[in-house]
Amino acid sequence: LAHTTDRRKGVVASIRALDINPVKNKAVLIKPNFNTADSAPGSTHNDTLMALVDELWAMGASTISLGERSYSPTREVMEEKGIIPLLEQKEIHIIDFDQLTEADWVKFDHPNLNWKSGFRVARPIHEAECLVSTCCLKTHQFGGVITMALKNSVGIVPTFRNGFDYMNELHTSPQQQALIAEINMAFSPHLVVMDGVDAFVDGGPATGKRVRADVVVATTDRVANDAVGTAILKSLGSNTDIMNRKIFEQVQIERAVELGIGVASAAEIELVAADKASQTYVDQINAIVMQG
């Protein structure tokens, strides 16, 4: 964790504090949070994404692509954010999942799913040599409760393909949070970076009650990310769904633990301060994580 107001410094410091390099000589695919073009944390901040791109190049990525499916037409969201020319300047190949053919949505099924007939995953995600997920820190007012690393997976599933409306099933299911967690069975990112400089403590995912959290988190574990993110929301004072439920009893996290997607408890999470200035903050968040 890097406790900072500077997104660029936070991205670099948090990644380097992990002391790993999963991207060297790899073809990297970035999955951002571009559900809408709303300002961060409604969507990935352009500065965060550009800092991440620069760091991935510096770590020795052989190529970098970015792939996403947005709520609105993906290309329009990217154009509204003004991110396309920035990505092109950095030699980033853009993959608009809206433009994938029917054959490029790979079926995923498993006997232990709440999805009625499984779901489909964008082939670029399915076949990525190295996958990096960058998400925001926020609540979700439409049944998801939290939207961080686990929820960022929803953009790899189509809205409507092969004669089925996947987003309708997701958003009308009483098991929505479990379905979100289950998408994460289909892939595993090598790196997760969460921008929490701004956070929504209520509302979300596009707009909500915005507060400053001044934190950037880097990890290799989606469950750990969301557990720590939920602890940060608790530290900020969030809605009753966050404040009145233990971290590992949040359904997204609970279901992900059942499926073996990440850490099983707070005891398995090690919080590392990215620098000396972040240590006091990290100690505060760690206490909340351990308390639950």
Side-chain angles (χ1 to χ4, degrees):
L1 278 71
H3 190 41
T4 179
T5 61
D6 187 318
R7 287 183 165 87
R8 177 168 292 275
K9 290 181 179 178
V11 168
V12 173
S14 60
I15 292 175
R16 293 184 182 180
L18 285 177
D19 198 26
I20 61 169
N21 189 345
V23 312
K24 188 175 179 62
N25 299 323
K26 300 288 181 63
V28 176
L29 176 62
I30 300 172
K31 166 61 176 75
N33 177 199
F34 285 171
N35 187 52
T36 65
D38 291 276
S39 59
S43 67
T44 300
H45 197 288
N46 289 4
D47 291 348
T48 301
L49 183 56
M50 290 299 98
L52 177 59
V53 164
D54 287 344
E55 186 64 9
L56 295 176
W57 280 132
M59 293 167 70
S62 60
T63 64
I64 304 177
S65 301
L66 179 142
E68 177 67 302
R69 175 198 59 75
S70 304
Y71 176 73
S72 303
T74 304
R75 190 78 183 182
E76 292 180 10
V77 169
M78 291 187 185
E79 288 174 348
E80 186 176 344
K81 285 183 61 63
I83 197 65
I84 293 174
L86 298 178
L87 293 170
E88 290 175 343
Q89 290 169 14
K90 300 288 185 179
E91 299 182 342
I92 308 303
H93 176 58
I94 299 171
I95 307 173
D96 179 351
F97 292 170
D98 291 345
Q99 303 303 314
L100 296 179
T101 66
E102 300 276 307
D104 281 327
W105 290 99
V106 181
K107 183 69 180 293
F108 182 86
D109 209 348
H110 189 278
N112 191 25
L113 291 181
N114 286 282
W115 290 86
K116 296 174 183 176
S117 301
F119 53 89
R120 293 184 181 271
V121 176
R123 188 176 296 279
I125 296 286
H126 181 69
E127 298 181 353
E129 183 177 21
C130 180
L131 184 61
V132 175
S133 172
T134 184
C135 57
C136 303
L137 174 62
K138 52 187 174 179
T139 52
H140 189 279
Q141 65 182 308
F142 303 116
V145 180
I146 55 174
T147 173
M148 295 176 240
L150 292 168
K151 182 70 167 57
N152 201 33
S153 66
V154 173
I156 75 170
V157 177
T159 300
F160 183 93
R161 280 294 188 276
N162 302 86
F164 191 79
D165 192 332
Y166 291 95
M167 289 302 99
N168 181 67
E169 178 181 1
L170 176 67
H171 292 124
T172 60
S173 172
Q175 302 299 323
Q176 180 184 153
Q177 295 171 72
L179 268 65
I180 291 167
E182 290 166 7
I183 297 171
N184 289 269
M185 296 176 70
F187 72 106
S188 184
H190 297 79
L191 177 65
V192 176
V193 177
M194 180 169 68
D195 175 3
V197 173
D198 292 294
F200 288 152
V201 294
D202 198 20
T207 60
K209 183 180 178 181
R210 186 192 313 271
V211 301
R212 293 296 296 255
D214 294 333
V215 63
V216 179
V217 178
T219 181
T220 57
D221 190 298
R222 290 162 285 181
V223 177
N225 181 90
D226 286 16
V228 170
T230 303
I232 295 170
L233 292 178
K234 284 177 176 285
S235 77
L236 297 169
S238 189
N239 61 39
T240 56
D241 287 330
I242 302 298
M243 303 305 292
N244 295 346
R245 181 172 294 172
K246 288 187 175 295
I247 293 170
F248 277 82
E249 292 176 359
Q250 288 292 342
V251 177
Q252 281 188 49
I253 294 173
E254 185 177 56
R255 180 63 174 145
V257 169
E258 290 175 357
L259 297 170
I261 288 167
V263 297
S265 70
E268 296 180 29
I269 300 174
E270 178 186 5
L271 294 187
V272 177
D275 49 45
K276 290 182 179 179
S278 301
Q279 189 62 59
T280 299
Y281 177 80
V282 168
D283 291 343
Q284 293 170 351
I285 300 303
N286 189 56
I288 299 172
V289 171
M290 294 306 160
Q291 184 180 11

